[in-house]
């Protein structure tokens, strides 16, 4: 009896999902992007055109109502002009891009052999190895960066080992340098490079490698002529996952870097917190986004064009 | 599209959190700034549960206050920052009928704080202190001998001396207003000046010693000084006393001292205030009143080594603290202290820009 009663609502639900499935599938990510990307972006863009005042919130409203019911829209472009007037911002963007570039290259160099080894490993061991890559994510990111303070500091692990072995007589200053920032970034972002590389390398057709060696190519030649070119999409995907967040990175340079580590994240922080100038801070953020989006779009177009050309 | 909207609305309804009415007091205070059992005692006495969060910079607190809806009921801004926040309409006027313990407060110190908040209408003094120099006595003696100018800003502002200490590490607070004021005072200018030219002269001095500074940070130096990872810090008095305490506990031969340099130092006040959007204003008043209790204040001072402005608590404050010239400075030293200046937006920008330039050279 109960089963017969329960059936109609269930089939109804299934029918509903069947009829609206498409909307569901497209709707969720679309609304996700609207709510968590487009709306915040619009809010930041709005603030970037206002003026800073001592009030709560600390910026002016763009829209004013006149007595006659007319609406006045005031856009203030001086915040953007300010970013060009003072060379600090351009220098900070440039040095962020530099740091992001070099740490992406370093991450790629470290990640490639690891991903290659995992992809070539027997399937059972592969899962264990992948697990080991993902495992550190179970600890808070902040804690993992803090751990590096203990490793790199003056009387930290590395220096104590070097001193006790007599390799150095004075502790080496590693913390609060750019070196520590690179170490922290490469360590933190390594999995983001390994995983896309792995998914690419694991799909590599063994027949191609066999054919290459049948035709007399040595393993090295096979690697550089077959494996490496075929893994370029994995390298691009991994590099994007590293490069883009590193540009705006704040926590790692703040904890491991020295005072002269100039990155746009820190500039944004001091505009927002020390100057209480939310409009200029927002303009810095918008410019950063534009700087990031343009090269990514160009890269995408290039990729799409090459895909079309080859097919 | 319409279908899509209705679907989303359903989804949104399903995941919206249940908003429960809560009766918890949210306190936002500086890190390491209260005795360990104070909150426990407050809950035992009033039955009010407390969620206690900490910060280490006025700037972070201010950003939260200006954004609004921070969720905090009691916060502890420094008086100079609070002055601007009051202008922005961030704090409520205190209902003094709910604060009977106000009678315990030292009239002279409250009057000094009233420079930033006329009639003490919005806040009461929690603690006060100075921005001076903490140093590792042994490391300094090893490098500079007996002639070390440990009673003077020379220790960190004279490039020749700072150079000798660079290897064991010098740290500055990441607080531009306080460092620039001390630097201006050192080169013979008014530490409270807001003139661009004066600020630039202060920045020049800081730039000259910059190569010898390990880092700029406002809380990390406590443990670093205690562990011997750095040996000189420009820092807040009580923080350095805590470093001294921790060094004593660790017992690894590190000995930390604090000095108010003879040239003078910034004197600051940290205030208890209630944000306008607090949902528990009664409980917040109860908390502030509790913090002015003579015994509770004495416990806090005995624990954090910061001077309070509570006259009634003084008999219960430990002798060692009461007589320490770094905590309760004698009159001749007090005369050399200056209070923090409130800067307008223009000066703020000049200052932050100079600060970035000092740190990064750009």
């Amino acid at each position: 009896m109960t089963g017969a009663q329960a059936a109609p609502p269930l089939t109804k639900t299934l029918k509903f999902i069947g009829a609206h499935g498409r909307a569901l599938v497209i709707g969720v990510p679309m609304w996700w992007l609207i709510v968590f990307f487009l709306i915040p972006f619009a809010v930041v863009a709005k603030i970037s055109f206002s003026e800073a005042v001592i009030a709560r919130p600390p910026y002016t409203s763009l829209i004013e109502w006149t007595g006659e019911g007319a609406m006045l829209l005031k856009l203030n472009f001086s915040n953007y002009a300010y970013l060009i007037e003072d060379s600090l911002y351009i220098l900070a963007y440039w040095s962020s891009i530099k740091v992001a570039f070099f740490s992406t290259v370093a991450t790629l160099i470290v990640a490639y052999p690891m991903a290659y080894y995992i992809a070539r490993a027997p399937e059972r061991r592969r899962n264990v190895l992948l697990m080991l890559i993902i495992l550190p994510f179970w600890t808070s990111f902040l804690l993992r960066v803090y751990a590096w303070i203990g490793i790199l500091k003056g009387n930290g692990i590395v220096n104590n080992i070097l001193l006790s072995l007599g390799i150095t007589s004075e502790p080496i200053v590693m913390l609060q340098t750019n070196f520590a920032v690179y170490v922290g970034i490469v360590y933190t972002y390594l999995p983001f490079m390994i995983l896309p590389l792995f998914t690419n390398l694991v799909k590599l057709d063994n027949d191609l490698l066999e054919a290459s060696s049948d035709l007399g190519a040595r393993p090295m030649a096979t690697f550089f002529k077959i494996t490496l070119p075929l893994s370029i999409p994995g390298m691009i995907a991994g590099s994007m996952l590293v490069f883009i967040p590193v540009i705006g990175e704040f926590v790692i340079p703040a904890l491991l870097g020295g005072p002269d580590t100039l990155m746009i994240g820190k500039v944004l922080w001091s505009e927002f917190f020390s100057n209480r100038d939310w409009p200029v801070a927002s303009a810095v953020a918008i410019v950063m986004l534009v700087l990031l989006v343009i090269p990514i779009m160009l890269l995408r177009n290039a990729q799409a064009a090459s895909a079309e050309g080859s097919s | 599209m319409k279908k899509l909207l209705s679907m989303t609305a359903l989804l949104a309804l399903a995941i919206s959190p249940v908003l429960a009415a809560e009766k918890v007091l949210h306190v936002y205070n500086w890190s390491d700034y209260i005795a360990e059992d104070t909150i426990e005692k407050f809950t035992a006495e009033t039955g009010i549960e407390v969620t206690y969060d900490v910060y280490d910079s006025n700037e972070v607190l201010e950003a939260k206050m200006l954004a609004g809806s921070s969720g905090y009921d009691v916060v502890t801004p420094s008086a100079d920052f609070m002055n601007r926040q009051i202008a922005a309409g961030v704090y409520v006027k205190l209902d003094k009928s709910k604060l009977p313990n106000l009678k315990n407060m030292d009239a002279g110190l409250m009057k000094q704080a009233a420079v930033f908040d006329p009639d003490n209408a919005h806040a009461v003094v929690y603690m006060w202190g100075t921005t001076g120099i903490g140093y590792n006595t042994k490391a300094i003696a090893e490098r500079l001998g007996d002639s070390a100018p440990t009673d003077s800003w020379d220790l960190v502002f004279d490039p020749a001396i700072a150079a000798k200490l660079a290897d064991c590490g010098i740290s500055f607070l990441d607080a531009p207003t306080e460092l620039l004021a001390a630097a201006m005072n050192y080169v013979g200018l008014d530490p409270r000046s807001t003139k661009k030219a004066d600020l630039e002269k202060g920045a020049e001095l800081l730039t000259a010693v910059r190569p010898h500074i390990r880092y700029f940070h406002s809380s990390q130096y406590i443990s670093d000084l205690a562990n011997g990872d750095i040996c000189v810090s420009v820092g807040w008095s009580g923080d350095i006393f805590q470093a001294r305490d921790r060094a004593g506990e660790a017992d690894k031969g590190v000995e930390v001292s604090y000095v108010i340099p003879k040239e003078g130092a910034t004197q600051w006040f940290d205030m208890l205030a209630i944000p306008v959007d607090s949902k528990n204003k009664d409980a917040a008043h109860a908390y502030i009143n509790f913090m002015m209790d003579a015994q509770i204040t004495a416990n806090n001072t005995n624990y954090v080594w910061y001077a309070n402005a509570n006259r009634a608590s003084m008999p219960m404050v430990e002798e060692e603290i009461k007589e320490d010239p770094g905590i309760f400075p004698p009159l001749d030293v007090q005369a050399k202290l200056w209070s923090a200046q409130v800067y307008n937006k223009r000066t703020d920008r000049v200052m932050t820009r100079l600060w970035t330039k000092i740190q990064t050279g750009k």
Side-chain angles (χ1 to χ4, degrees):
Chain A
M1 248 336 245
T2 46
Q5 271 172 347
L10 182 70
T11 45
K12 241 189 192 169
T13 317
L14 285 175
K15 259 192 195 156
F16 183 83
I17 292 175
H20 301 268
R22 205 178 131 78
L24 255 179
V25 168
I26 305 174
V28 172
M30 187 188 89
W31 280 105
W32 178 273
L33 281 176
I34 290 177
V35 171
F36 293 106
F37 178 74
L38 215 54
I39 294 177
F41 178 77
V43 170
V44 173
K46 187 197 93 177
I47 298 174
S48 76
F49 289 114
S50 63
E51 270 173 81
V53 285
I54 293 180
R56 198 176 61 133
Y59 49 86
T60 55
S61 161
L62 296 186
I63 291 167
E64 269 173 36
W65 293 95
T66 63
E68 293 89 48
M71 196 180 84
L72 272 179
L73 181 67
K74 272 208 306 195
L75 292 185
N76 175 11
F77 289 93
S78 65
N79 301 318
Y80 289 95
Y82 189 80
L83 299 189
I84 304 169
E85 275 167 36
D86 191 334
S87 62
L88 171 74
Y89 302 96
I90 292 158
L91 283 169
Y93 283 124
W94 175 237
S95 90
S96 297
I97 290 171
K98 245 180 8 197
V99 169
F101 175 78
F102 287 118
S103 41
T104 305
V105 171
T107 314
L108 184 60
I109 292 170
V110 177
Y112 202 98
M114 291 169 86
Y116 187 82
Y117 177 77
I118 299 171
R120 302 270 103 197
E123 210 158 321
R124 270 186 52 206
R125 192 134 48 94
R126 212 185 275 164
N127 287 333
V128 176
L129 291 171
L130 279 177
M131 198 64 195
L132 288 177
I133 300 290
I134 298 165
L135 214 56
F137 276 99
W138 292 10
T139 320
S140 149
F141 156 70
L142 204 59
L143 274 182
R144 282 181 283 135
V145 178
Y146 259 108
W148 277 103
I149 295 181
I151 296 171
L152 296 176
K153 69 175 182 177
N155 58 19
I157 297 171
V158 173
N159 270 320
N160 280 340
I161 292 174
L162 291 180
L163 286 174
S164 65
L165 291 179
I167 296 173
T168 54
S169 55
E170 282 281 308
I172 305 169
V173 177
M174 290 179 286
L175 198 60
Q176 281 111 26
T177 63
N178 281 342
F179 168 74
V181 176
Y182 281 113
V183 169
I185 291 175
V186 170
Y187 165 77
T188 309
Y189 287 94
L190 200 57
F192 296 101
M193 187 66 95
I194 292 180
L195 295 177
L197 272 175
F198 165 78
T199 41
N200 175 280
L201 288 168
V202 82
K203 282 185 300 196
L204 189 68
D205 194 342
N206 244 338
D207 293 347
L208 291 174
L209 302 182
E210 276 168 28
S212 170
S213 81
D214 286 348
L215 293 170
R218 291 171 179 279
M220 269 305 212
T222 306
F223 176 79
F224 282 111
K225 288 200 168 135
I226 311 283
T227 312
L228 200 62
L230 281 175
S231 65
I232 285 175
M235 284 158 66
I236 291 179
S239 299
M240 296 241 264
L241 283 178
V242 175
F243 185 82
I244 295 166
V246 169
I247 285 195
E249 184 58 59
F250 174 71
V251 175
I252 298 173
L255 290 177
L256 301 178
D260 51 355
T261 312
L262 181 67
M263 284 186 76
I264 202 68
K266 169 82 182 163
V267 171
L268 200 63
W269 196 96
S270 64
E271 279 304 333
F272 190 81
F273 289 99
S274 306
N275 284 344
R276 291 164 278 272
D277 197 332
W278 294 19
V280 169
S282 304
V284 171
I286 296 282
V287 170
M288 182 162 90
L289 199 80
V290 171
L291 283 181
L292 280 177
V293 164
I294 290 173
I296 292 167
M297 276 169 51
L298 289 178
L299 203 67
R300 290 237 114 183
N301 283 345
Q303 263 184 309
S306 76
E308 254 171 49
S310 62
S311 66
Chain B
M1 195 60 194
K2 215 172 167 188
K3 248 186 232 166
L4 212 133
L5 277 169
S6 63
M7 285 294 308
T8 317
L10 266 176
L11 205 77
L13 267 180
I15 57 169
S16 78
V18 185
L19 296 167
E22 47 179 342
K23 262 289 163 219
V24 178
L25 185 73
H26 295 268
V27 176
Y28 200 36
N29 195 5
W30 291 85
S31 51
D32 302 303
Y33 211 28
I34 195 166
E36 273 172 324
D37 58 356
T38 303
I39 296 296
E40 217 173 281
K41 283 186 176 153
F42 174 71
T43 304
E45 192 176 300
T46 61
I48 300 166
E49 292 288 329
V50 175
T51 308
Y52 188 82
D53 285 337
V54 297
Y55 54 92
D56 79 343
S57 90
N58 268 310
E59 285 82 1
V60 169
L61 170 68
E62 182 154 292
K64 289 202 185 195
M65 289 300 112
L66 293 179
S69 315
S70 63
Y72 293 111
D73 302 304
V74 180
V75 296
T76 322
S78 297
D80 49 324
F81 281 78
M82 184 189 65
N83 175 278
R84 188 172 35 225
Q85 292 155 12
I86 290 172
V90 166
Y91 299 118
V92 294
K93 278 201 165 151
L94 296 177
D95 180 348
K96 291 188 179 168
S97 68
K98 289 179 187 155
L99 303 172
N101 282 340
L102 268 175
K103 66 177 192 308
N104 293 342
M105 301 307 279
D106 183 301
L109 287 163
M110 284 295 271
K111 204 172 155 194
Q112 276 182 278
V115 171
F116 302 97
D117 173 25
D119 298 330
N120 302 110
H122 299 84
V124 298
V125 179
Y126 177 58
M127 297 277 167
W128 65 274
T130 48
T131 305
I133 302 175
Y135 59 96
N136 181 327
T137 44
K138 235 197 255 166
I140 299 290
E142 268 170 28
R143 283 167 181 79
L144 299 175
D146 292 335
S147 63
T150 51
D151 61 342
S152 160
W153 284 108
D154 286 343
L155 200 60
V156 289
F157 285 164
D158 181 336
I161 295 173
K164 288 183 192 152
L165 301 174
D167 70 306
C168 66
I170 302 175
S171 86
F172 280 4
L173 287 173
D174 192 5
T177 52
E178 300 184 41
L179 263 302
L180 281 167
M184 285 193 288
N185 180 63
Y186 183 77
V187 296
L189 298 164
D190 174 10
R192 306 185 76 238
S193 170
T194 57
K195 281 188 216 132
K196 195 175 176 207
D198 291 355
L199 290 164
E200 276 168 353
K201 287 212 183 83
E204 224 170 85
L205 172 72
L206 294 176
T207 307
V209 292
R210 167 68 190 86
H212 315 304
I213 310 302
R214 183 79 55 83
Y215 61 77
F216 296 73
H217 199 280
S218 303
S219 57
Q220 196 185 330
Y221 66 96
I222 305 178
S223 56
D224 283 356
L225 204 54
N227 293 334
D229 285 325
I230 55 170
C231 63
V232 187
S233 289
V234 174
W236 293 311
S237 46
D239 282 3
I240 288 162
F241 288 116
Q242 279 171 53
R244 183 174 77 178
D245 252 22
R246 286 192 205 175
E249 279 163 25
D251 203 19
K252 280 194 286 193
V254 175
E255 211 182 273
V256 176
S257 291
Y258 175 75
V259 65
I260 299 175
K262 61 180 184 212
E263 297 90 346
T266 303
Q267 177 186 25
W268 43 259
F269 295 90
D270 282 339
M271 314 294 291
L272 291 165
I274 305 174
V276 280
D277 48 13
S278 155
K279 291 190 188 76
N280 272 324
K281 295 198 180 74
D282 280 338
H285 277 90
Y287 180 84
I288 292 178
N289 191 50
F290 186 77
M291 296 312 264
M292 289 189 290
D293 178 272
Q295 184 63 55
I296 292 298
T297 307
N299 293 349
N300 284 336
T301 289
N302 289 339
Y303 185 80
V304 302
W305 296 70
Y306 275 109
N308 61 61
N310 193 313
R311 181 156 289 202
S313 78
M314 289 314 282
M316 279 89 84
V317 173
E318 285 165 19
E319 286 301 311
E320 192 192 347
I321 295 175
K322 230 185 298 189
E323 276 153 25
D324 195 312
I327 303 177
F328 289 98
L331 286 176
D332 59 318
V333 180
Q334 267 185 44
K336 292 229 169 124
L337 301 178
W338 62 81
S339 61
Q341 174 69 284
V342 182
Y343 300 99
N344 63 21
K345 194 176 156 266
R346 207 188 170 77
T347 318
D348 260 343
R349 188 160 268 296
V350 170
M351 224 168 205
T352 310
R353 188 64 189 88
L354 286 172
W355 195 239
T356 309
K357 197 166 197 164
I358 292 162
Q359 292 198 24
T360 63
K362 281 165 192 145

